[in-house]
Amino acid sequence: MEPFLLVLLLALLCLALGAGYPVALAIPGAAIMSIAVAALAGQLLADDPNAYFVHGGTPGEWLSAGVTNLRRIYRSDESDVLIAIPLFIFMGLMLQRSKIAEDLLLAMSQLFRSFRGGLGISVVLVGALLAATTSVIGATVVAMGMISLPTMLRTNYSKQMATGIVAATGTLGQIVPPSIVLIILNHQLTSAVYKANQERQSLYKVASGELMMPSEFDVASASVSDMFMGALVPGLLLVGLYILYQVVVAAIRPDMAPASNLPRADARRLVGRTLLALFPPLTLILLVLGSIMSGVATVNQAGAIGAAGATVMAGYRLCEGERRAYWPVLLAALATCAIWIVISLFDVNLRKIESAQNVLGVTLAGIASAVLVYAVGWSGWRTLKKDRTLKYVVEETTKTTAMVFAILLGAVMLTAAFRAFGGEALVKDFLASIPGGFWNKFAVVMLVIFILGFFLDFIEITVVVVPIIAPIILADPAANVSALWLGVMLALVIQTSFLTPPFGFALFYLRGVTPPSIKTTEIYKGVIPFIALQLVAVGLVFIFPVLVNYLPNRSLLLSEYAPPTTNPRLQVCMENFVARKFESDGAEIRSAIERMRRADLSTLPEELRVDFRRGLTAAERAFAIMQNIKQGYVEVAEAAVSYRPVLSRVRGVESDIRRIDDAVSKLNIAITQSQRAETEEELNDLRDDRARLKIRREELMAQIPTEWSAMHEEFSSVLERENNARKIFRRSVDDAYEPVKTAMILLADTGRLKNAAPQFRGLSLLVQSGMATSTVDNINKAIASLAEISGTSQIRSQLYKVKREFKNESPDANWAREGMAKAVVLFEKEVTWREGAIDQLRPQIEEYDRAIADTIGLRGQTRLPDNIAEEIAVCISNRRDISLHF
């Protein structure tokens, strides 16, 4: 019955969409009707309305599951990125309605007309900028079709070439950030990552028998800013491919993309006009994307910047030529510069107002902010009065945003119904049954997404299909793909489907604004080369995931919030880097270790001196341990040749067995519950089904090779040797560098320790006087001062003892004096050895540190050096197969 309900669910959805019902009503309507039919069928056929819900629960619970899930998700702080959707929609509509985008198209189209193929190139460049501001494919295609297409046809461009350029460029809004497609994709992938990690955790537990999976095997998630950065290179790659194609065509077939010369005077004026038209949208894009990628602003804050900036620019454009037209823009620019200067010079945190300088900074920032608000408000008033632009933009933004969130609500209801009828398990079984491993499954999923792009908009695909297939794709350890890469791949595939005849959305939009002289077949022929370019881009991103992952990873590792050097995700790449450095600089590093061993360490305290010598021994051992890692890696690779195929086959069989066990468990429950079986015949059918499943289970068990246990145990021991070698290496280099790091910190704090000497001597005299109240206060001050200086724990411990004595009801003055004398001795001893080490040993320690900091001492650094971080970013951006651990 459940498969029939799944078919009914999908049929109702397709029927409603085909009949022309709004998507926001069709999706939840299909879910509600299918759940109602399931409840009715259960009541009529099994006398239980809950009978046909695979996971149990009542119809009311499944009907409300979507709404409950939506409320739970959107009430969390982590889901507030969807606030950026209306802000970016507002920004794009404001730029489009105020004719700023049109000015840019007209100016650049005329500017590049004198170059062969230049007009088409200008359309691509302007289309990319327009896509980055509107993020709506329909708006971009229509705007460019109405403005650029007539100009290209008048310039004797081939109809196929002209329509292909406009249609292809219009789809760039799908991938060029900031795109609402990427925002919604990221939101769906965030929950998919959580489910995928749960699935991977269970796989690891079954495979290894251990309860906890190492965090380095977690599925890598991504934020919206990461998604924007990840999509930037593929977006620019597409722009570059489009331009390259036009250059080649213009050179081979000049008749398809001819040039049209302009008079010199006109050309000069056009340069100025183009720069003036280019400045507003380009500035806005740089502000929005720059603030996100630099970490200055969140996605929501950047969206607010974009909306406010678009309003200011529109206020000027709508009043261009009038008196004081530029005043709001000037005020906004001056106020923004003033705010930046004030923030640079003052601390404007309201919670930290402690001085007159803080008050001055907050006051100046408040004045500048008020001026900025006034400028934005003035511009908003202009947009409201001029052609009622603001009214139109707000209405359209509200409609689009309401549609997006209505679809999101409907989608979680549809997903709940799909899960209620066992659809999720069915999809898993289908993907598991596809032969050829993970990449064949991935290809099938991408093909399905591509076909769905003919009939559904990106929002429906993203919120309905992605939550079902993404956890399955992300959980597979064989590919170990990141959510970021998967999101960009999905966006590229959907974009390609929007361009593909005969159902591509971009083609429908373009057909609506093209003159009757252009045939539909000519539009189809025109987009075919660009579809090929899209597929090239998809293939490049597929083969080289670094194109997507590198920028976000680089930004993270170079940022203020970079992960520590001991982060598990970085270790393998860091060890590969160290191995290369050992090969190239091994002689110099060994020489530095030997020079440090010959150094006179007698000035160091005994404990640090012992640790230092142990550290030198550990540093020498690091080379041999690295060879063990290399040897272990080679042994694993050799053993995996014969082990991997058997592992894949056995894990597939075990997966089938687990599904049978789940089905048998459900049948046991159904047999136990007498209400599920009104007749003896039905009960016997259930028992027969269980018996058949048990027989099938035995058949599957027989497919597992008899030598599997021994093979698995042998390979596990090989894998364990490599893992142990890596663990030993990490402990060894930590032990080797810790004394160096400690000595450097202690010696660097010597000056601060010496500066505390007058305070310490004054405290000693005060203790001699025996004044309990003032002495305790001064001891507290001394302890607080010493706490900021490394290596003073023994001195502070002694001072604590003295303080406790003074706090007694009847303090022993003699004992306190003796205790303070011991503290003085410790203090002077600490100063003495540090001064001696600075004079005699510090240069040698610094030289040694420079020699090993980027190799043996890499894990001991506060953060990765920039040059190494860039190299590590490339390494972690590529896929790493971890399936052998599962």
Side-chain angles (χ1 to χ4, degrees):
M1 188 63 181
E2 287 83 356
F4 167 77
L5 292 171
L6 279 173
V7 173
L8 176 66
L9 174 66
L10 299 178
L12 287 172
L13 177 61
C14 295
L15 183 63
L17 292 174
Y21 283 95
V23 175
L25 299 179
I27 294 177
I32 293 171
M33 291 180 66
S34 61
I35 289 176
V37 170
L40 180 62
Q43 185 65 45
L44 295 176
L45 301 179
D47 197 26
D48 180 11
N50 311 328
Y52 299 122
F53 296 107
V54 172
H55 301 287
T58 65
E61 290 173 342
W62 284 108
L63 280 173
S64 61
V67 180
T68 303
N69 186 46
L70 188 79
R71 185 171 63 246
R72 177 183 61 79
I73 291 174
Y74 296 109
R75 280 183 175 177
S76 68
D77 294 336
E78 297 176 357
S79 298
D80 65 346
V81 293
L82 293 180
I83 297 173
I85 291 177
L87 295 172
F88 284 124
I89 294 173
F90 180 95
M91 179 183 74
L93 288 172
M94 183 63 77
L95 291 176
Q96 182 184 359
R97 184 71 173 182
S98 62
K99 305 295 180 65
I100 292 176
E102 182 177 337
D103 291 345
L104 180 60
L105 279 168
L106 290 173
M108 289 204 58
S109 295
Q110 294 181 37
L111 178 65
F112 287 98
R113 282 173 61 191
S114 58
F115 300 97
R116 183 183 296 173
L119 180 57
I121 293 172
S122 70
V123 172
V124 171
L125 293 174
V126 175
L129 291 175
L130 192 59
T133 55
T134 62
S135 300
V136 180
I137 290 177
T140 309
V141 172
V142 170
M144 295 186 62
M146 294 178 65
I147 301 168
S148 298
L149 193 57
T151 306
M152 297 175 76
L153 294 177
R154 285 197 303 269
T155 315
N156 296 320
Y157 260 70
S158 161
K159 294 177 182 179
Q160 297 178 15
M161 187 72 168
T163 54
I165 291 172
V166 172
T169 306
T171 62
L172 288 174
Q174 184 84 12
I175 193 69
V176 175
S179 167
I180 61 173
V181 180
L182 299 175
I183 296 175
I184 298 174
L185 262 174
N186 175 264
H187 180 265
Q188 298 299 322
L189 288 171
T190 299
S191 58
V193 166
Y194 175 75
K195 295 177 183 177
N197 271 323
Q198 288 184 315
E199 177 68 19
R200 190 175 284 189
Q201 174 71 49
S202 64
L203 289 175
Y204 186 81
K205 182 179 178 181
V206 171
S208 66
E210 298 184 16
L211 296 178
M212 294 299 296
M213 179 181 71
S215 59
E216 64 180 300
F217 298 151
D218 285 344
V219 180
S221 61
S223 64
V224 175
S225 59
D226 291 337
M227 192 70 77
F228 283 176
M229 282 188 280
L232 186 60
V233 172
L236 295 176
L237 175 64
L238 276 176
V239 172
L241 288 173
Y242 290 172
I243 293 175
L244 179 62
Y245 167 71
Q246 292 181 71
V247 170
V248 173
V249 169
I252 298 174
R253 294 280 306 275
D255 58 305
M256 294 185 67
S260 179
N261 295 321
L262 289 173
R264 182 177 298 274
D266 288 347
R268 290 174 179 173
R269 284 199 298 269
L270 280 173
V271 171
R273 191 187 308 168
T274 302
L275 292 176
L276 186 62
L278 183 63
F279 181 75
L282 188 59
T283 301
L284 195 59
I285 292 169
L286 291 176
L287 280 174
V288 172
L289 289 182
S291 61
I292 293 173
M293 295 181 180
S294 63
V296 173
T298 64
V299 175
N300 293 342
Q301 293 165 348
I305 293 171
T311 302
V312 172
M313 293 173 183
Y316 166 76
R317 172 61 181 82
L318 293 170
C319 297
E320 189 176 11
E322 298 181 7
R323 186 182 178 188
R324 298 188 298 180
Y326 58 86
W327 280 30
V329 177
L330 183 60
L331 281 176
L334 292 175
T336 303
C337 292
I339 291 172
W340 180 76
I341 293 172
V342 169
I343 292 175
S344 302
L345 298 178
F346 300 94
D347 185 357
V348 293
N349 191 330
L350 293 176
R351 297 180 179 179
K352 297 182 179 179
I353 298 179
E354 299 175 351
S355 64
Q357 187 178 15
N358 297 136
V359 174
L360 176 61
V362 172
T363 303
L364 292 175
I367 294 172
S369 300
V371 173
L372 180 60
V373 170
Y374 177 74
V376 175
W378 189 356
S379 300
W381 177 257
R382 284 181 168 185
T383 60
L384 180 62
K385 290 299 181 181
K386 290 289 184 178
D387 302 328
R388 311 195 76 181
T389 300
L390 182 61
K391 181 177 182 296
Y392 168 82
V393 170
V394 170
E395 287 178 351
E396 292 302 312
T397 300
T398 304
K399 290 178 184 177
T400 307
T401 304
M403 178 197 71
V404 170
F405 280 88
I407 292 174
L408 285 172
L409 173 59
V412 292
M413 295 179 68
L414 186 74
T415 304
F418 189 80
R419 190 172 290 114
F421 304 141
E424 195 172 34
L426 199 64
V427 171
K428 287 183 180 179
D429 293 344
F430 168 70
L431 292 178
S433 66
I434 297 175
F438 170 84
W439 295 114
N440 280 6
K441 302 173 189 176
F442 181 78
V444 170
V445 168
M446 292 296 108
L447 179 62
V448 171
I449 295 289
F450 178 76
I451 295 173
L452 288 175
F454 295 158
F455 310 102
L456 300 177
D457 198 1
F458 72 88
I459 299 178
E460 293 93 87
I461 296 175
T462 302
V463 300
V464 174
V465 182
V466 171
I468 297 170
I469 59 97
I472 302 171
I473 296 294
L474 292 174
D476 197 309
N480 194 29
V481 300
S482 67
L484 172 62
W485 178 84
L486 178 61
V488 173
M489 281 292 295
L490 289 170
L492 283 171
V493 170
I494 297 172
Q495 178 188 358
T496 307
S497 69
F498 286 170
L499 195 61
T500 304
F503 304 108
F505 278 104
L507 307 181
F508 292 133
Y509 290 127
L510 183 60
R511 176 72 273 182
V513 296
T514 52
S517 60
I518 296 180
K519 299 178 182 179
T520 302
T521 54
E522 290 176 323
I523 298 177
Y524 289 173
K525 291 177 181 178
V527 297
I528 288 175
F530 292 93
I531 294 172
L533 295 176
Q534 286 277 155
L535 294 176
V536 169
V538 171
L540 289 174
V541 171
F542 175 80
I543 297 171
F544 304 107
V546 69
L547 294 174
V548 174
N549 295 325
Y550 174 70
L551 273 183
N553 286 331
R554 181 182 185 277
S555 176
L556 175 64
L557 294 181
L558 295 178
S559 71
E560 182 181 352
Y561 308 102
T565 51
T566 54
N567 186 292
R569 185 178 169 222
L570 306 177
Q571 298 312 302
V572 172
C573 288
M574 287 171 55
E575 285 154 10
N576 292 341
F577 172 81
V578 172
R580 292 193 297 271
K581 291 288 285 185
F582 275 0
E583 290 180 359
S584 61
D585 303 336
E588 291 84 349
I589 297 171
R590 285 190 174 95
S591 176
I593 295 172
E594 185 59 30
R595 286 197 301 272
M596 194 67 234
R597 184 176 289 281
R598 292 196 301 266
D600 183 6
L601 303 178
S602 60
T603 55
L604 298 178
E606 181 179 0
E607 183 178 356
L608 182 57
R609 184 167 61 249
V610 171
D611 290 342
F612 218 106
R613 295 200 179 281
R614 288 175 180 171
L616 291 170
T617 302
E620 291 172 340
R621 290 179 55 232
F623 289 89
I625 300 172
M626 179 58 73
Q627 291 301 319
N628 293 339
I629 293 176
K630 291 181 180 179
Q631 180 62 31
Y633 178 82
V634 172
E635 291 176 357
V636 169
E638 292 174 350
V641 174
S642 58
Y643 176 76
R644 192 187 298 276
V646 180
L647 172 68
S648 178
R649 187 166 66 252
V650 170
R651 294 301 182 224
V653 172
E654 290 176 343
S655 178
D656 293 339
I657 291 173
R658 285 195 296 272
R659 286 195 292 272
I660 289 177
D661 289 341
D662 291 339
V664 169
S665 177
K666 292 173 184 175
L667 285 172
N668 288 335
I669 296 174
I671 293 171
T672 304
Q673 296 174 344
S674 58
Q675 64 269 25
R676 278 293 299 237
E678 294 184 351
T679 65
E680 186 65 26
E681 181 180 355
E682 183 177 352
L683 188 59
N684 289 333
D685 288 342
L686 292 173
R687 289 170 176 163
D688 290 342
D689 290 342
R690 182 176 63 181
R692 281 194 295 271
L693 287 175
K694 288 184 176 180
I695 293 173
R696 177 57 182 160
R697 189 184 192 280
E698 293 300 322
E699 292 173 351
L700 288 172
M701 288 292 295
Q703 294 179 15
I704 298 177
T706 55
E707 67 275 11
W708 163 246
S709 296
M711 181 182 292
H712 177 63
E713 184 175 349
E714 180 181 355
F715 183 82
S716 296
S717 64
V718 175
L719 195 62
E720 187 66 21
R721 283 199 294 273
E722 184 198 3
N723 291 336
N724 286 338
R726 293 188 183 275
K727 292 176 183 178
I728 294 171
F729 178 81
R730 293 165 194 173
R731 286 196 299 267
S732 181
V733 294
D734 288 348
D735 293 342
Y737 192 68
E738 185 60 31
V740 180
K741 186 176 180 180
T742 300
M744 294 290 290
I745 293 173
L746 292 175
L747 297 181
D749 269 358
T750 301
R752 298 171 64 190
L753 184 66
K754 292 169 65 177
N755 291 338
Q759 179 188 15
F760 206 78
R761 296 190 188 98
L763 178 63
S764 178
L765 295 175
L766 195 61
V767 170
Q768 298 294 330
S769 68
M771 297 174 62
T773 304
S774 60
T775 300
V776 169
D777 293 339
N778 281 275
I779 290 176
N780 285 331
K781 292 179 181 179
I783 291 174
S785 177
L786 290 172
E788 299 177 358
I789 303 172
S790 57
T792 59
S793 58
Q794 290 185 348
I795 304 172
R796 285 183 279 123
S797 176
Q798 187 63 34
L799 289 178
Y800 274 120
K801 295 177 182 178
V802 176
K803 184 179 77 170
R804 282 197 299 270
E805 185 62 33
F806 274 103
K807 293 181 72 173
N808 290 335
E809 293 183 3
S810 53
D812 187 337
N814 290 329
W815 191 95
R817 293 188 188 98
E818 292 176 0
M820 189 63 208
K822 292 180 181 178
V824 170
V825 170
L826 290 173
F827 183 87
E828 292 176 347
K829 183 179 179 182
E830 190 71 22
V831 172
T832 301
W833 84 256
R834 293 194 191 195
E835 288 180 331
I838 288 176
D839 294 337
Q840 302 175 23
L841 195 59
R842 186 174 185 174
Q844 299 174 63
I845 295 178
E846 289 178 343
E847 180 188 358
Y848 178 58
D849 179 59
R850 286 192 296 270
I852 69 169
D854 291 349
T855 52
I856 294 171
L858 190 58
R859 277 173 52 91
Q861 305 302 314
T862 306
R863 52 176 294 164
L864 291 172
D866 289 355
N867 61 320
I868 298 177
E870 293 175 355
E871 191 167 339
I872 300 299
V874 174
C875 177
I876 64 175
S877 297
N878 287 298
R879 284 185 288 266
R880 177 189 168 207
D881 185 354
I882 58 173
S883 60
L884 294 175
H885 296 269
F886 290 79

